[in-house]
Amino acid sequence: MLNLMKYEFQKNKIIIGFLAGIGVLLQIGYFIFCAAANGTGRKALAARENMLIMVAFLILLMTIGFFVVFILGIANYKNELNSKSSYLIFMTPNSSLKIILSKLLYIFLVEVVFLAALSFLIGFDIIQARSILNGGDFIDSVMELFERAFDIDLKKVWTEILLSLISFVIGFFAIMVMAYCAITLSATFLYNSRWKGFVSIVLFIAICVAVSYVDNHFVEQFVQDVDIFTVKGRVMYLLPSLIYYLFIMAAGTFGCSKLIDKAINL
């Protein structure tokens, strides 16, 4: 599987390198403005403003890069099924299931490394900016006042953020698997049709709507009486949906591999 993941990286290394290069340039720009921000006067004030602009661009890059990798993962799968040389990939000694899993794992690792690296840089830059702007004590005081005024437990907030992140990651890859299913189904029944791309989009929307309908109308029936305002209750509320989407991911991945092996004329 490692060799398959290396193959995925080779296909996307230019775009990934381009995104990483932009991140490095933005960070270098931040350090330059950071060095010029010490002191007083208009130049120091402008440098401080530019520091915050660099941080904002890093956040924008993190968002764009996340979706670029997602789109590349779907586009590469579609191109491989539609290309005349697809048999070189899917008729190797590696099983179709292993090939699809390697694609998903590759996307997961790239997303984790990319987001972790940028999150670290953004966090470091914000701490550094607070130090330069002498705003750390003020911000800490505001957070403490906010917590007291609204009776908010910040530990509970961070727990909620973690649960939301887990839900987002599982939902994200469930959507990717559903896109794989739509592409595989259209390639199965409309291999030589020029409407194949349009049909795959329609199928993707239909699959997403059907999966979401089942989640909203059946899965959530198990957690109607759960108190979502406690950490334990929130976990119990999310758990059935997370298990459901994990099942969708597993079934969709297995189904795609079987269709490629049995039905698609590569």
Side-chain angles (χ1 to χ4, degrees):
M1 186 169 293
L2 183 60
N3 289 331
L4 292 171
M5 293 174 63
K6 288 181 180 178
Y7 171 71
E8 293 295 323
F9 177 77
Q10 288 295 324
K11 290 188 297 184
N12 302 318
K13 64 181 180 181
I14 294 177
I15 295 178
I16 293 174
F18 177 73
L19 292 173
I22 293 176
V24 171
L25 291 176
L26 289 174
Q27 188 62 32
I28 291 173
Y30 173 85
F31 284 137
I32 292 173
F33 291 125
C34 189
N38 292 309
T40 58
R42 292 184 177 179
K43 290 185 178 180
L45 181 61
R48 293 173 183 177
E49 293 176 351
N50 290 329
M51 285 168 52
L52 300 179
I53 292 173
M54 292 297 104
V55 174
F57 276 125
L58 280 171
I59 295 173
L60 180 62
L61 176 66
M62 182 170 64
T63 305
I64 293 174
F66 182 87
F67 288 103
V68 165
V69 174
F70 171 75
I71 294 171
L72 281 176
I74 295 175
N76 287 336
Y77 182 75
K78 176 179 177 295
N79 292 335
E80 287 174 359
L81 284 185
N82 293 337
S83 66
K84 298 297 182 182
S85 59
S86 57
Y87 69 92
L88 294 175
I89 301 168
F90 289 99
M91 290 189 176
T92 61
N94 299 294
S95 66
S96 297
L97 180 60
K98 188 175 181 180
I99 293 172
I100 295 174
L101 287 175
S102 70
K103 292 178 181 296
L104 294 173
L105 183 58
Y106 161 78
I107 294 169
F108 174 75
L109 291 177
V110 171
E111 295 282 26
V112 168
V113 172
F114 185 76
L115 294 180
L118 283 179
S119 296
F120 173 80
L121 290 178
I122 291 168
F124 173 83
D125 292 348
I126 290 175
I127 293 172
Q128 184 72 12
R130 286 176 58 186
S131 175
I132 292 175
L133 299 175
N134 296 320
D137 294 337
F138 173 75
I139 294 175
D140 291 339
S141 299
V142 170
M143 292 299 293
E144 183 179 355
L145 179 63
F146 184 78
E147 181 178 359
R148 288 179 180 177
F150 295 97
D151 194 25
I152 292 176
D153 184 356
L154 291 182
K155 291 182 179 179
K156 185 183 295 185
V157 172
W158 285 114
T159 303
E160 179 66 25
I161 291 174
L162 178 61
L163 290 173
S164 299
L165 181 61
I166 294 172
S167 299
F168 176 78
V169 170
I170 293 176
F172 169 80
F173 280 98
I175 291 174
M176 174 158 282
V177 170
M178 286 186 275
Y180 279 16
C181 289
I183 293 169
T184 307
L185 286 170
S186 64
T188 301
F189 300 107
L190 300 168
Y191 186 75
N192 294 317
S193 174
R194 62 179 180 177
W195 296 98
K196 182 168 50 178
F198 174 76
V199 171
S200 65
I201 295 174
V202 174
L203 283 172
F204 172 67
I205 295 173
I207 293 171
C208 288
V209 170
V211 169
S212 179
Y213 181 86
V214 172
D215 182 31
N216 294 330
H217 290 80
F218 296 99
V219 178
E220 290 189 359
Q221 298 296 321
F222 295 101
V223 290
Q224 285 185 338
D225 299 326
V226 173
D227 182 9
I228 63 173
F229 295 102
T230 64
V231 174
K232 181 179 179 181
R234 187 62 176 162
V235 172
M236 295 303 297
Y237 179 80
L238 291 174
L239 190 60
S241 288
L242 295 181
I243 295 174
Y244 169 67
Y245 281 105
L246 286 172
F247 171 77
I248 293 295
M249 291 169 57
T253 302
F254 183 78
C256 286
S257 67
K258 288 302 179 183
L259 279 175
I260 291 173
D261 291 335
K262 303 296 184 180
I264 297 181
N265 182 21
L266 298 174

